């Protein structure tokens, strides 16, 4: 994600609230999957008791009435005996639920829980299928999920949550799955999503479009965009298809998007082979304050510029292919995407002296306590999308100077490759980088990631950065 006016986040303050003792709760049912996975920021996100392998989402959307009708099939494997289990869903009314093609009881509770009780309990280690059918007016979340566009179309975008507004899922970074979408709309509208387009058929007054993400994806990285798009079709030298879409009013970004092959080649030279089988972009014309790295095909706001595209494409390695374990690990996503766009691209493509850029930034903010008050290693719920943008690049540039270019770039490339299509954490990153350096980095990492004050000079200006 890249924010509009992101540097202004330097003055965002952290809020601290007093803990209130919780009332005692009865012990959980041992054969009901947990309603959350205990993420320190979003403890009710995700669900226990099963592992999703694939989502097959079928929707019908009518732009004038905002009516959304859906049927989502989830292929999963139980990890324990299950008398009941939860899905995350905050979309339209649920009509019918079935498990292994048998009717299942269900009820909705909390902000986004759909509790399903199969007719027959599920045994541990066995595959099962759950199908949820739902219908009703879609709700405009204004950039926190299903979002109405000024043209009359709609799209899904938001981090850390968005998918629950249009299909049920296990909404946690820890449960990646492949994904397919089949969307039917009036024939004059187009549909864009993740991965490869496998069908685009018009029958009478209706159009049905299918997209398939064949590499695993997280919920907030899935998207659907419905608008009267124009398209830009490109191809990488190795044949990878690049499909980009422009909503009415977003054509001004076409020239920037034409540089996508060059951007992919550059980032691939840094972090290893591009991890997906297609790429592109979705340029919406809606007043959202962010662009988002939806997998293979980012959502771009109207204010998008070239650094924004570089940032979101860098996320295809850092955030999409390699995803956080917990939301406290967000620096792994945003620090790398920001460093790539704000330092590495200008250095290699524009000849910018990024050491001087670093020194000037440090000089500007060294005495600004607000700039340092949100730690990179654990920014906190509600402030996770702040310091990682403006201080993250400084941390990585200092780390690069501490290690030297050869060690730094080899290490980040290897770390990314080791976790491809999986998850990683900041503690794992620290341990891995330490294994590549003969110097004890404990003090360096603690100063940059854990503290709320400027690092000591030895860590602030390593490797000759003092100039």
């Amino acid at each position: 994600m890249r924010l509009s006016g992101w540097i202004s986040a330097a003055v965002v303050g952290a809020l601290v609230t007093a803990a209130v003792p919780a009332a005692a709760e009865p012990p959980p049912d041992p054969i009901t999957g947990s309603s959350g996975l205990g993420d320190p920021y979003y403890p009710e996100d995700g669900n226990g008791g099963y592992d999703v392998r694939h989502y097959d989402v079928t929707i019908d959307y009518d732009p004038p009435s905002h009516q959304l009708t859906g049927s989502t099939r989830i292929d999963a494997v139980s990890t324990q005996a299950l008398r009941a289990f939860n899905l995350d869903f905050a979309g339209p009314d649920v009509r019918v639920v079935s498990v292994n093609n048998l009717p299942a009881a269900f009820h909705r509770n909390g902000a986004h829980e759909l509790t399903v009780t199969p007719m027959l309990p599920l045994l541990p280690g066995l595959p099962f299928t759950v199908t949820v059918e739902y219908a009703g007016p879609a709700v405009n979340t204004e950039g926190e999920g299903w979002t109405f566009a000024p043209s009359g179309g709609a799209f899904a975008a938001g981090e850390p949550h968005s998918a629950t507004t249009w299909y049920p899922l296990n909404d946690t970074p820890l449960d990646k799955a492949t994904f397919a979408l089949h969307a039917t709309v009036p024939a004059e509208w187009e549909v864009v999503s993740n991965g490869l387009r496998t069908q685009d058929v018009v029958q009478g007054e209706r159009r049905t479009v299918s997209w398939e993400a064949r590499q695993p994806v997280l919920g907030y990285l899935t998207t659907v965009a419905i608008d009267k798009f124009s398209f830009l079709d490109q191809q990488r030298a190795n044949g990878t298809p690049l499909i980009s879409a422009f909503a009415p009013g977003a054509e001004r970004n076409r020239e920037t998007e034409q540089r996508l092959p060059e951007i992919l080649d550059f980032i691939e030279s840094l972090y290893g082979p591009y991890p997906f089988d297609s790429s592109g972009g979705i340029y919406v014309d809606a007043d959202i304050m962010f662009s988002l790295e939806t997998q293979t095909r980012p959502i771009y706001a109207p204010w998008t510029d070239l650094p924004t595209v570089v940032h979101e494409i860098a996320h295809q390695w850092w955030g999409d292919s390699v995803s956080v374990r917990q939301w406290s690990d967000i620096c792994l996503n945003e620090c790398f995407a920001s460093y790539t766009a704000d330092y590495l691209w200008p250095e290699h493509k524009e000849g910018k002296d990024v050491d001087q850029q670093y020194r000037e930034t440090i000089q500007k903010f060294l005495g600004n306590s607000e700039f340092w008050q949100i730690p990179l290693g654990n920014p906190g719920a509600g402030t996770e999308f702040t310091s990682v943008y403006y201080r993250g690049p400084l941390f990585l540039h200092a780390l690069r100077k501490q290690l030297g270019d050869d060690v730094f770039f080899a290490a980040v490339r290897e770390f990314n490759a080791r976790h491809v299509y999986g998850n990683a954490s900041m503690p794992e990153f620290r341990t891995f980088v330490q294994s590549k350096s003969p110097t004890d980095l404990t003090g360096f990492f603690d100063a940059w990631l854990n503290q709320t004050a400027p690092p000591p000079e030895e860590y602030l200006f390593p490797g000759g950065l003092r100039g």
Side-chain angles (χ1 to χ4, degrees), residues 119-152:
M119 181 179 293
L120 300 174
L122 302 174
L123 299 178
L126 295 182
F128 69 96
T129 297
V130 54
T131 301
V132 181
E133 298 180 14
Y134 47 99
V139 176
N140 183 15
T141 69
E142 299 183 347
E144 295 184 4
W146 195 268
T147 301
F148 297 163
S151 62

Side-chain angles (χ1 to χ4, degrees), residues 7 31 68 72 95-96 117 134 167 186 213 221 253 255 260 262-263 297 301 312 331 363 383 394 399 462:
I7 194 63
I31 56 175
L68 176 64
T72 294
R95 304 294 178 82
V96 177
T117 304
Y134 47 99
Y167 71 94
L221 298 174
N253 292 304
E255 184 176 347
L260 180 57
E262 176 190 2
I263 295 168
R297 201 155 285 107
E312 303 306 341
C331 182
Q363 180 65 32
T383 52
L394 300 177
L399 179 61

Side-chain angles (χ1 to χ4, degrees), residues 432-446:
F432 181 79
V433 171
Q434 180 63 78
S435 74
K436 302 297 181 180
S437 173
T439 302
D440 185 355
L441 300 175
T442 303
F444 176 94
F445 281 129
D446 179 68

